[in-house]
Coordinates of all heavy atoms in Angstrom, one line a residue:
M92 N 138.2 256.2 61.6 CA 137.4 256.8 62.6 C 138.1 257.3 63.8 O 137.5 257.8 64.7 CB 136.2 255.9 63.0 CG 135.3 255.6 61.9 SD 134.6 257.0 61.1 CE 132.9 256.7 61.3
K93 N 139.4 257.0 63.9 CA 140.1 257.3 65.1 C 140.6 258.8 65.1 O 141.0 259.3 64.1 CB 141.4 256.4 65.2 CG 141.0 255.1 65.7 CD 142.2 254.3 66.2 CE 141.8 253.0 66.8 NZ 142.8 252.2 67.3
R94 N 140.4 259.4 66.2 CA 140.8 260.8 66.4 C 141.9 260.9 67.4 O 141.8 260.3 68.5 CB 139.6 261.7 66.8 CG 138.5 261.7 65.7 CD 137.4 262.5 66.3 NE 137.7 263.9 66.6 CZ 137.3 264.5 67.7 NH1 136.6 263.9 68.5 NH2 137.7 265.8 67.9
F95 N 142.9 261.6 67.1 CA 144.1 261.7 68.0 C 144.2 263.1 68.5 O 145.1 263.4 69.2 CB 145.4 261.2 67.3 CG 145.4 259.7 67.1 CD1 145.0 259.2 65.9 CD2 145.8 258.9 68.1 CE1 145.0 257.9 65.6 CE2 145.8 257.5 67.9 CZ 145.4 257.0 66.6
T96 N 143.3 263.9 68.2 CA 143.3 265.3 68.7 C 142.9 265.2 70.2 O 142.1 264.4 70.6 CB 142.3 266.2 68.0 OG1 141.0 265.5 67.9 CG2 142.8 266.5 66.6
R97 N 143.5 266.1 71.0 CA 143.2 266.0 72.4 C 141.9 266.8 72.6 O 141.6 267.8 71.9 CB 144.3 266.6 73.2 CG 144.6 268.1 73.0 CD 146.0 268.4 73.7 NE 146.2 269.8 73.6 CZ 145.9 270.6 74.7 NH1 145.4 270.1 75.8 NH2 146.2 271.9 74.6
T98 N 141.1 266.3 73.5 CA 139.8 266.8 73.8 C 139.7 267.3 75.2 O 139.6 266.6 76.1 CB 138.7 265.7 73.6 OG1 139.3 264.7 72.8 CG2 137.5 266.3 73.0
P99 N 139.8 268.7 75.4 CA 139.7 269.2 76.8 C 138.3 268.9 77.3 O 137.3 269.2 76.6 CB 139.9 270.7 76.6 CG 140.5 270.8 75.3 CD 140.0 269.7 74.4
E100 N 138.2 268.3 78.4 CA 136.8 268.1 79.0 C 136.9 268.2 80.5 O 137.8 267.8 81.1 CB 136.3 266.7 78.6 CG 137.3 265.6 78.9 CD 136.9 264.3 78.2 OE1 135.8 264.1 77.8 OE2 137.8 263.4 78.2
D101 N 135.9 268.8 81.0 CA 135.8 268.9 82.5 C 134.9 267.8 83.0 O 134.1 267.3 82.3 CB 135.0 270.2 82.8 CG 135.8 271.5 82.2 OD1 137.0 271.3 82.0 OD2 135.1 272.5 82.1
F102 N 135.2 267.4 84.2 CA 134.4 266.3 84.8 C 134.4 266.4 86.3 O 135.2 267.1 86.9 CB 134.9 264.9 84.4 CG 136.3 264.6 84.8 CD1 136.6 263.9 86.0 CD2 137.4 265.0 84.0 CE1 137.9 263.6 86.4 CE2 138.7 264.8 84.4 CZ 139.0 264.1 85.6
T103 N 133.4 265.9 86.9 CA 133.3 265.8 88.3 C 133.7 264.4 88.8 O 133.2 263.4 88.3 CB 131.9 266.1 88.8 OG1 131.5 267.4 88.3 CG2 131.8 266.2 90.3
C104 N 134.7 264.4 89.7 CA 135.2 263.1 90.1 C 134.1 262.3 90.8 O 133.5 262.8 91.7 CB 136.4 263.3 91.1 SG 137.0 261.8 91.8
S105 N 134.0 261.0 90.4 CA 132.9 260.2 91.0 C 133.3 259.7 92.4 O 132.5 259.2 93.1 CB 132.6 259.0 90.1 OG 133.8 258.3 89.8
Q106 N 134.6 259.8 92.8 CA 135.0 259.3 94.1 C 134.9 260.4 95.1 O 134.5 260.2 96.2 CB 136.4 258.8 94.0 CG 136.6 257.6 93.1 CD 135.7 256.4 93.6 OE1 135.7 256.2 94.8 NE2 135.1 255.7 92.7
C107 N 135.5 261.6 94.9 CA 135.6 262.6 95.9 C 134.8 263.9 95.6 O 134.7 264.8 96.4 CB 137.0 263.0 96.2 SG 137.8 263.9 94.8
G108 N 134.2 263.9 94.4 CA 133.3 265.1 94.1 C 134.0 266.3 93.6 O 133.4 267.3 93.4
T109 N 135.4 266.3 93.5 CA 136.1 267.4 93.0 C 135.7 267.7 91.5 O 135.7 266.8 90.7 CB 137.6 267.1 93.1 OG1 138.0 267.0 94.4 CG2 138.4 268.3 92.5
F110 N 135.5 269.0 91.3 CA 135.3 269.4 89.9 C 136.6 269.6 89.2 O 137.4 270.4 89.6 CB 134.5 270.7 89.8 CG 134.2 271.1 88.4 CD1 133.3 270.3 87.6 CD2 134.8 272.2 87.9 CE1 133.0 270.7 86.3 CE2 134.5 272.6 86.5 CZ 133.6 271.8 85.8
V111 N 136.9 268.8 88.2 CA 138.2 268.8 87.5 C 138.1 269.5 86.2 O 137.3 269.1 85.4 CB 138.8 267.4 87.3 CG1 140.2 267.4 86.7 CG2 138.8 266.6 88.7
V112 N 138.9 270.6 86.0 CA 138.9 271.3 84.7 C 139.9 270.6 83.8 O 141.1 270.6 84.1 CB 139.3 272.8 84.9 CG1 139.3 273.5 83.5 CG2 138.2 273.4 85.8
G113 N 139.5 269.9 82.8 CA 140.3 269.2 81.9 C 141.1 270.1 81.0 O 140.6 271.1 80.5
D114 N 142.4 269.7 80.7 CA 143.2 270.5 79.7 C 143.5 269.6 78.5 O 144.3 269.9 77.6 CB 144.4 271.0 80.3 CG 145.4 269.8 80.8 OD1 145.0 268.7 80.6 OD2 146.4 270.1 81.4
G115 N 142.8 268.5 78.4 CA 143.0 267.6 77.2 C 143.9 266.4 77.6 O 144.0 265.4 76.9
Y116 N 144.7 266.6 78.6 CA 145.6 265.5 79.1 C 145.1 265.0 80.4 O 145.7 264.0 80.9 CB 147.0 266.0 79.2 CG 147.6 266.5 77.9 CD1 147.8 267.9 77.7 CD2 147.9 265.6 76.9 CE1 148.4 268.3 76.5 CE2 148.5 266.1 75.7 CZ 148.7 267.4 75.5 OH 149.2 267.9 74.3
T117 N 144.2 265.6 81.0 CA 143.7 265.2 82.3 C 143.0 263.8 82.2 O 142.1 263.7 81.4 CB 142.7 266.2 82.8 OG1 143.2 267.5 82.7 CG2 142.3 265.9 84.3
N118 N 143.6 262.9 82.9 CA 143.0 261.5 82.9 C 142.7 261.0 84.2 O 142.4 259.8 84.4 CB 143.8 260.6 82.0 CG 145.3 260.5 82.5 OD1 145.6 261.0 83.6 ND2 146.1 260.0 81.7
H119 N 142.9 261.8 85.3 CA 142.6 261.3 86.6 C 142.4 262.5 87.5 O 142.7 263.7 87.2 CB 143.7 260.4 87.2 CG 145.1 261.1 87.3 ND1 145.9 261.3 86.2 CD2 145.7 261.7 88.3 CE1 147.0 262.0 86.6 NE2 146.9 262.2 87.9
C120 N 141.8 262.3 88.6 CA 141.4 263.3 89.6 C 142.7 263.8 90.4 O 143.3 262.9 90.9 CB 140.4 262.8 90.5 SG 140.0 264.0 91.9
P121 N 143.0 265.1 90.4 CA 144.2 265.5 91.1 C 144.1 265.4 92.6 O 145.1 265.5 93.3 CB 144.4 266.9 90.6 CG 143.1 267.4 90.1 CD 142.4 266.2 89.6
S122 N 142.9 265.3 93.1 CA 142.7 265.3 94.5 C 142.8 263.9 95.1 O 143.5 263.7 96.1 CB 141.3 265.8 94.9 OG 141.3 267.2 94.6
C123 N 142.2 262.9 94.5 CA 142.2 261.5 95.1 C 142.9 260.6 94.1 O 143.1 259.4 94.5 CB 140.7 261.1 95.4 SG 139.7 260.8 93.9
L124 N 143.2 261.0 92.9 CA 144.0 260.2 92.0 C 143.2 259.1 91.3 O 143.7 258.3 90.5 CB 145.3 259.6 92.6 CG 146.2 260.6 93.3 CD1 147.4 259.9 93.9 CD2 146.7 261.7 92.4
W125 N 141.9 259.0 91.6 CA 141.1 258.0 90.9 C 140.9 258.4 89.5 O 140.9 259.6 89.1 CB 139.7 257.8 91.6 CG 139.8 256.9 92.8 CD1 140.4 257.2 94.0 CD2 139.1 255.7 93.0 NE1 140.3 256.2 94.9 CE2 139.5 255.2 94.3 CE3 138.3 254.9 92.2 CZ2 139.0 254.0 94.8 CZ3 137.9 253.7 92.7 CH2 138.2 253.2 94.0
S126 N 140.6 257.4 88.6 CA 140.5 257.7 87.2 C 139.2 256.9 86.7 O 138.5 256.3 87.5 CB 141.7 257.2 86.5 OG 141.6 257.6 85.1
K127 N 139.0 256.9 85.4 CA 137.9 256.2 84.9 C 138.4 255.4 83.7 O 139.3 255.8 82.9 CB 136.8 257.2 84.4 CG 135.5 256.9 85.0 CD 134.4 257.9 84.5 CE 133.1 257.4 84.9 NZ 132.0 258.1 84.2
H128 N 137.8 254.2 83.5 CA 138.3 253.3 82.4 C 137.6 253.7 81.1 O 136.6 253.1 80.8 CB 138.0 251.9 82.8 CG 138.7 250.9 81.9 ND1 138.4 249.5 81.9 CD2 139.6 251.1 80.9 CE1 139.2 249.0 81.0 NE2 139.9 249.9 80.4
V129 N 138.2 254.7 80.5 CA 137.6 255.2 79.2 C 138.6 255.0 78.1 O 138.2 255.2 76.9 CB 137.2 256.7 79.3 CG1 136.0 256.8 80.2 CG2 138.3 257.6 79.8
D130 N 139.9 254.8 78.3 CA 140.8 254.7 77.3 C 141.3 253.2 77.1 O 141.5 252.5 78.1 CB 142.1 255.5 77.6 CG 141.7 257.0 77.6 OD1 140.7 257.4 77.1 OD2 142.6 257.7 78.2
I131 N 141.6 252.8 75.9 CA 142.4 251.6 75.6 C 143.8 252.0 75.5 O 144.7 251.6 76.2 CB 141.9 250.8 74.4 CG1 140.4 250.3 74.6 CG2 142.8 249.7 74.0 CD1 139.8 249.7 73.4
N132 N 144.1 252.9 74.6 CA 145.3 253.6 74.5 C 145.1 255.0 75.1 O 144.0 255.6 74.9 CB 145.9 253.7 73.1 CG 146.2 252.3 72.5 OD1 147.0 251.6 73.1 ND2 145.5 251.9 71.5
P133 N 146.2 255.6 75.7 CA 146.0 256.9 76.4 C 145.3 257.9 75.5 O 145.8 258.2 74.4 CB 147.4 257.3 76.8 CG 148.1 256.0 76.9 CD 147.5 255.1 75.9
G134 N 144.2 258.4 76.0 CA 143.5 259.5 75.2 C 142.6 259.1 74.2 O 141.9 260.0 73.6
D135 N 142.5 257.8 73.9 CA 141.6 257.4 72.7 C 140.1 257.3 73.1 O 139.3 257.3 72.2 CB 142.1 256.2 72.0 CG 142.0 254.9 72.9 OD1 141.5 255.0 74.0 OD2 142.6 253.9 72.5
R136 N 139.8 257.2 74.4 CA 138.4 257.1 74.9 C 137.7 256.0 74.2 O 136.5 256.1 74.0 CB 137.7 258.4 74.7 CG 138.3 259.7 75.3 CD 138.2 259.6 76.8 NE 138.6 260.9 77.4 CZ 139.9 261.1 77.8 NH1 140.8 260.2 77.7 NH2 140.1 262.3 78.4
A137 N 138.4 254.9 73.9 CA 137.8 253.8 73.1 C 137.3 252.7 74.0 O 136.7 251.8 73.5 CB 138.9 253.3 72.1
A138 N 137.6 252.7 75.3 CA 137.1 251.6 76.1 C 135.6 251.8 76.4 O 135.2 252.9 76.7 CB 137.9 251.5 77.4
T139 N 134.9 250.7 76.4 CA 133.5 250.9 76.7 C 133.2 250.5 78.2 O 132.0 250.6 78.6 CB 132.7 249.9 75.8 OG1 133.2 248.6 75.9 CG2 132.7 250.3 74.4
C140 N 134.2 250.2 78.9 CA 134.0 249.7 80.3 C 133.4 250.8 81.2 O 132.3 250.7 81.8 CB 135.3 249.3 80.9 SG 135.3 248.8 82.6
G141 N 134.1 252.0 81.3 CA 133.6 253.1 82.1 C 133.7 252.9 83.6 O 133.2 253.7 84.3
G142 N 134.4 251.8 84.0 CA 134.5 251.5 85.5 C 135.4 252.5 86.2 O 136.2 253.2 85.5
A143 N 135.3 252.6 87.5 CA 136.2 253.5 88.3 C 137.5 252.8 88.4 O 137.6 251.6 88.6 CB 135.6 253.7 89.6
M144 N 138.6 253.6 88.2 CA 139.9 253.0 88.3 C 140.6 253.5 89.6 O 140.8 254.7 89.8 CB 140.7 253.4 87.1 CG 140.1 252.7 85.8 SD 141.3 252.7 84.4 CE 142.3 251.3 84.8
E145 N 141.0 252.5 90.4 CA 141.5 252.8 91.7 C 143.1 252.9 91.6 O 143.7 252.1 91.0 CB 141.2 251.7 92.7 CG 141.7 251.9 94.1 CD 141.4 250.8 95.0 OE1 141.0 249.7 94.5 OE2 141.6 251.0 96.2
P146 N 143.7 254.0 92.2 CA 145.1 254.1 92.2 C 145.7 253.1 93.2 O 145.3 253.1 94.4 CB 145.4 255.5 92.7 CG 144.2 255.9 93.4 CD 143.0 255.1 92.9
I147 N 146.5 252.1 92.8 CA 146.9 251.0 93.7 C 148.4 251.1 94.0 O 148.9 250.4 94.9 CB 146.6 249.6 93.1 CG1 147.2 249.5 91.7 CG2 145.1 249.4 93.0 CD1 147.2 248.0 91.2
R148 N 149.2 251.8 93.2 CA 150.6 251.8 93.4 C 151.3 253.1 92.9 O 150.8 253.7 91.9 CB 151.2 250.6 92.6 CG 152.5 250.1 93.1 CD 153.0 248.9 92.2 NE 151.9 247.9 92.2 CZ 151.5 247.3 91.1 NH1 152.0 247.6 89.9 NH2 150.6 246.4 91.1
L149 N 152.3 253.5 93.5 CA 153.1 254.6 93.0 C 154.6 254.2 92.8 O 155.2 253.6 93.8 CB 153.1 255.8 94.0 CG 153.7 257.1 93.5 CD1 152.9 257.7 92.3 CD2 153.9 258.1 94.6
T150 N 155.1 254.3 91.6 CA 156.4 253.9 91.4 C 157.3 255.1 90.9 O 156.8 255.9 90.2 CB 156.4 252.8 90.2 OG1 155.4 251.9 90.4 CG2 157.7 252.0 90.2
L151 N 158.5 255.1 91.4 CA 159.4 256.2 90.9 C 160.3 255.7 89.8 O 161.0 254.7 90.0 CB 160.2 256.7 92.1 CG 161.0 258.0 91.9 CD1 160.1 259.1 91.7 CD2 161.9 258.2 93.1
K152 N 160.2 256.3 88.7 CA 161.1 255.9 87.5 C 161.9 257.2 87.2 O 161.3 258.1 86.5 CB 160.2 255.5 86.3 CG 159.9 254.0 86.3 CD 159.2 253.6 85.0 CE 158.8 252.2 85.2 NZ 157.8 251.8 84.1
G153 N 163.1 257.2 87.5 CA 163.9 258.4 87.3 C 163.3 259.5 88.1 O 163.1 259.4 89.3
H154 N 162.9 260.6 87.4 CA 162.3 261.7 88.1 C 160.8 261.7 87.9 O 160.1 262.6 88.4 CB 162.8 263.0 87.5 CG 164.3 263.3 87.8 ND1 164.7 263.5 89.1 CD2 165.3 263.3 87.0 CE1 166.0 263.6 89.0 NE2 166.4 263.5 87.8
D155 N 160.3 260.6 87.3 CA 158.8 260.5 87.1 C 158.1 259.7 88.1 O 158.7 258.6 88.5 CB 158.6 259.9 85.7 CG 158.9 260.9 84.6 OD1 158.9 262.1 84.8 OD2 159.3 260.4 83.5
H156 N 157.0 260.1 88.5 CA 156.1 259.3 89.4 C 155.1 258.6 88.5 O 154.4 259.2 87.7 CB 155.4 260.1 90.4 CG 156.3 260.6 91.5 ND1 157.0 261.7 91.5 CD2 156.7 260.0 92.7 CE1 157.7 261.9 92.6 NE2 157.6 260.8 93.3
I157 N 155.1 257.3 88.6 CA 154.1 256.5 87.8 C 153.0 256.0 88.7 O 153.3 255.3 89.7 CB 154.8 255.3 87.1 CG1 156.1 255.7 86.3 CG2 153.8 254.6 86.2 CD1 155.8 256.6 85.1
I158 N 151.8 256.3 88.4 CA 150.7 255.8 89.1 C 150.1 254.6 88.4 O 149.8 254.6 87.2 CB 149.5 256.9 89.2 CG1 150.1 258.1 89.9 CG2 148.3 256.3 90.0 CD1 149.1 259.3 89.8
T159 N 149.9 253.5 89.1 CA 149.2 252.3 88.5 C 147.8 252.3 89.0 O 147.5 252.4 90.1 CB 149.9 251.0 89.0 OG1 151.3 251.1 88.6 CG2 149.3 249.8 88.3
H160 N 146.9 252.3 88.0 CA 145.5 252.2 88.2 C 145.0 250.8 87.9 O 145.4 250.2 87.0 CB 144.7 253.2 87.3 CG 144.8 254.6 87.7 ND1 145.2 255.6 86.9 CD2 144.4 255.2 88.9 CE1 145.1 256.8 87.6 NE2 144.6 256.6 88.8
R161 N 144.0 250.4 88.7 CA 143.3 249.1 88.4 C 141.8 249.4 88.4 O 141.2 249.9 89.3 CB 143.6 248.0 89.4 CG 143.0 246.7 89.0 CD 143.0 245.7 90.2 NE 144.3 245.2 90.5 CZ 144.7 245.0 91.8 NH1 143.9 245.3 92.8 NH2 145.9 244.6 92.0
C162 N 141.2 248.9 87.3 CA 139.8 249.1 87.1 C 139.0 248.2 88.1 O 139.2 247.0 88.2 CB 139.4 248.8 85.7 SG 137.6 249.0 85.4
T163 N 138.1 248.9 88.9 CA 137.3 248.1 89.8 C 136.2 247.3 89.2 O 135.6 246.4 89.8 CB 136.7 249.1 90.9 OG1 135.9 250.0 90.2 CG2 137.7 249.8 91.7
T164 N 136.0 247.5 87.9 CA 134.9 246.8 87.2 C 135.5 245.6 86.5 O 135.0 244.5 86.6 CB 134.2 247.7 86.2 OG1 133.6 248.8 86.9 CG2 133.1 246.9 85.4
C165 N 136.6 245.8 85.7 CA 137.1 244.7 84.9 C 138.5 244.2 85.2 O 139.0 243.2 84.7 CB 137.0 245.0 83.4 SG 138.3 246.3 82.9
G166 N 139.2 244.9 86.2 CA 140.5 244.5 86.6 C 141.6 244.9 85.7 O 142.8 244.6 86.0
H167 N 141.3 245.7 84.7 CA 142.4 246.2 83.8 C 143.3 247.1 84.5 O 142.9 248.0 85.3 CB 141.7 247.0 82.6 CG 142.7 247.6 81.7 ND1 143.5 246.9 80.8 CD2 143.1 248.9 81.6 CE1 144.3 247.7 80.1 NE2 144.1 249.0 80.6
E168 N 144.7 246.9 84.3 CA 145.6 247.8 85.0 C 146.4 248.6 83.9 O 146.6 248.2 82.8 CB 146.7 247.0 85.7 CG 146.1 246.3 87.0 CD 147.2 245.7 87.9 OE1 148.4 246.0 87.7 OE2 146.9 244.9 88.7
R169 N 146.7 249.9 84.3 CA 147.5 250.7 83.4 C 148.3 251.7 84.2 O 148.0 252.0 85.4 CB 146.6 251.5 82.4 CG 145.7 252.5 83.1 CD 145.5 253.8 82.4 NE 144.9 254.7 83.2 CZ 143.7 255.3 82.9 NH1 143.2 255.1 81.7 NH2 143.2 256.2 83.7
N170 N 149.4 252.1 83.6 CA 150.3 253.1 84.3 C 150.2 254.4 83.6 O 150.1 254.5 82.4 CB 151.8 252.6 84.1 CG 152.0 251.3 84.8 OD1 151.5 251.1 85.9 ND2 152.8 250.4 84.2
I171 N 150.1 255.4 84.4 CA 150.1 256.8 83.9 C 151.1 257.6 84.7 O 151.5 257.3 85.8 CB 148.7 257.5 84.0 CG1 148.3 257.5 85.5 CG2 147.7 256.8 83.1 CD1 147.4 258.6 85.8
H172 N 151.5 258.7 84.1 CA 152.4 259.7 84.8 C 151.6 260.5 85.7 O 150.6 261.0 85.4 CB 153.1 260.6 83.7 CG 154.2 259.8 83.0 ND1 155.5 260.0 83.2 CD2 154.1 258.9 82.0 CE1 156.2 259.2 82.4 NE2 155.4 258.6 81.6
A173 N 152.2 260.7 86.9 CA 151.6 261.7 87.8 C 151.8 263.1 87.2 O 152.8 263.3 86.5 CB 152.2 261.6 89.2
R174 N 151.0 264.0 87.6 CA 151.1 265.4 87.1 C 151.4 266.4 88.2 O 151.2 266.1 89.3 CB 149.8 265.7 86.4 CG 149.4 264.7 85.4 CD 148.3 265.2 84.4 NE 148.8 266.3 83.6 CZ 148.0 267.2 83.1 NH1 146.7 267.2 83.3 NH2 148.5 268.2 82.3
D175 N 151.9 267.5 87.7 CA 152.3 268.6 88.7 C 151.1 269.0 89.5 O 151.3 269.5 90.7 CB 152.9 269.8 88.0 CG 154.2 269.5 87.3 OD1 154.8 268.4 87.7 OD2 154.6 270.2 86.4
T176 N 150.0 268.9 89.0 CA 148.8 269.4 89.6 C 148.2 268.4 90.6 O 147.2 268.7 91.3 CB 147.7 269.7 88.6 OG1 147.6 268.6 87.7 CG2 148.0 271.0 87.8
D177 N 148.8 267.2 90.7 CA 148.3 266.2 91.6 C 148.6 266.5 93.0 O 149.6 267.1 93.3 CB 148.9 264.8 91.3 CG 148.4 264.2 89.9 OD1 147.4 264.7 89.5 OD2 149.0 263.3 89.4
S178 N 147.7 266.1 93.9 CA 147.8 266.3 95.3 C 149.1 265.6 95.9 O 149.2 264.4 95.7 CB 146.6 265.9 96.1 OG 146.9 265.6 97.4
T179 N 150.0 266.4 96.4 CA 151.2 265.8 97.0 C 150.8 264.8 98.1 O 151.4 263.7 98.3 CB 152.1 266.9 97.6 OG1 152.3 267.9 96.6 CG2 153.5 266.3 97.9
K180 N 149.8 265.2 98.9 CA 149.4 264.3 100.0 C 148.8 263.0 99.5 O 149.2 261.9 100.0 CB 148.3 265.1 100.8 CG 148.0 264.5 102.1 CD 146.9 265.3 102.8 CE 146.2 264.5 103.9 NZ 144.9 265.0 104.2
A181 N 148.0 263.1 98.5 CA 147.5 261.8 97.9 C 148.6 260.9 97.3 O 148.5 259.7 97.5 CB 146.4 262.2 96.8
L182 N 149.6 261.5 96.7 CA 150.7 260.8 96.1 C 151.5 260.1 97.3 O 151.9 259.0 97.2 CB 151.6 261.7 95.3 CG 151.0 262.1 94.0 CD1 151.9 263.2 93.4 CD2 150.9 261.0 93.0
L183 N 151.7 260.9 98.3 CA 152.4 260.4 99.5 C 151.7 259.2 100.1 O 152.3 258.1 100.4 CB 152.6 261.5 100.5 CG 153.7 261.3 101.5 CD1 155.0 261.4 100.9 CD2 153.6 262.4 102.6
I184 N 150.4 259.3 100.3 CA 149.6 258.2 100.9 C 149.7 257.0 100.0 O 149.9 255.9 100.5 CB 148.1 258.7 101.1 CG1 148.0 259.7 102.1 CG2 147.2 257.5 101.4 CD1 146.7 260.4 102.3
L185 N 149.6 257.2 98.7 CA 149.7 256.1 97.7 C 151.0 255.4 97.8 O 151.1 254.2 97.7 CB 149.4 256.6 96.3 CG 149.3 255.5 95.2 CD1 148.3 254.5 95.5 CD2 149.0 256.2 93.9
S186 N 152.1 256.2 97.9 CA 153.5 255.6 97.9 C 153.7 254.8 99.2 O 154.6 253.9 99.2 CB 154.5 256.8 97.9 OG 154.5 257.5 99.1
T187 N 153.0 255.0 100.2 CA 153.2 254.2 101.4 C 152.2 253.1 101.6 O 152.2 252.4 102.5 CB 153.0 255.1 102.7 OG1 151.8 255.7 102.7 CG2 154.1 256.2 102.7
R188 N 151.3 253.0 100.5 CA 150.3 251.9 100.6 C 150.9 250.5 100.5 O 151.7 250.3 99.6 CB 149.3 252.2 99.4 CG 148.2 251.2 99.5 CD 147.1 251.7 98.6 NE 146.2 250.5 98.2 CZ 145.1 250.6 97.7 NH1 144.6 251.8 97.3 NH2 144.3 249.6 97.4
V189 N 150.5 249.7 101.4 CA 151.0 248.3 101.4 C 150.2 247.4 100.5 O 148.9 247.4 100.6 CB 151.1 247.7 102.8 CG1 151.6 246.3 102.8 CG2 151.9 248.6 103.7
Q190 N 150.8 246.7 99.6 CA 150.0 245.9 98.7 C 149.6 244.6 99.3 O 150.3 244.0 100.0 CB 150.9 245.5 97.4 CG 151.3 246.8 96.7 CD 150.1 247.6 96.1 OE1 149.1 247.0 95.6 NE2 150.0 248.9 96.3
Ligands
ZN404 ZN1 138.7 262.6 93.1
ZN405 ZN1 137.4 248.4 83.1

């Protein structure tokens, strides 16, 4: 029953209200970087939690920026790659965030 095809979907960010046009890889809001707990593995949409995922950390790995999200409902953490379309300002603020 598992589908691995990418599913473009548009959504309105529950945190900042930005309308996000999905390209099938979009898994977080490019304006505020918040996400939603819908995946167990990236893209599978198999999680039933549905909680809001807060961006808590920005890590630089080589040339990649890794955003760590923590689910505000169940505490699940996951790492995703930042995207070119993400707000530079939001990434900057996240990178200076003190844990
Ligand atoms: Zn947002
Ligand atoms: Zn969750």
Side-chain angles (χ1 to χ4, degrees):
M92 292 308 237
K93 284 197 173 174
R94 294 175 62 222
F95 290 94
T96 47
R97 65 193 187 97
T98 340
E100 55 193 342
D101 303 337
F102 61 95
T103 302
C104 175
S105 56
Q106 293 300 319
C107 70
T109 297
F110 181 70
V111 183
V112 178
D114 63 4
Y116 298 109
T117 310
N118 53 15
H119 61 279
C120 171
S122 294
C123 69
L124 310 177
W125 278 66
S126 186
K127 232 182 171 192
H128 193 188
V129 290
D130 296 342
I131 292 175
N132 295 303
D135 65 8
R136 302 293 188 266
T139 50
C140 175
M144 296 196 78
E145 182 183 12
I147 57 166
R148 203 179 306 131
L149 187 71
T150 317
L151 192 62
K152 268 187 191 167
H154 294 292
D155 290 330
H156 285 91
I157 309 293
I158 302 170
T159 304
H160 280 124
R161 185 194 290 138
C162 180
T163 55
T164 301
C165 72
H167 175 77
E168 287 190 18
R169 65 139 190 238
N170 296 322
I171 57 151
H172 286 256
R174 308 194 64 205
D175 293 343
T176 47
D177 289 344
S178 159
T179 311
K180 193 178 159 206
L182 288 171
L183 200 68
I184 291 170
L185 183 59
S186 71
T187 57
R188 182 165 162 168
V189 180
Q190 299 300 311

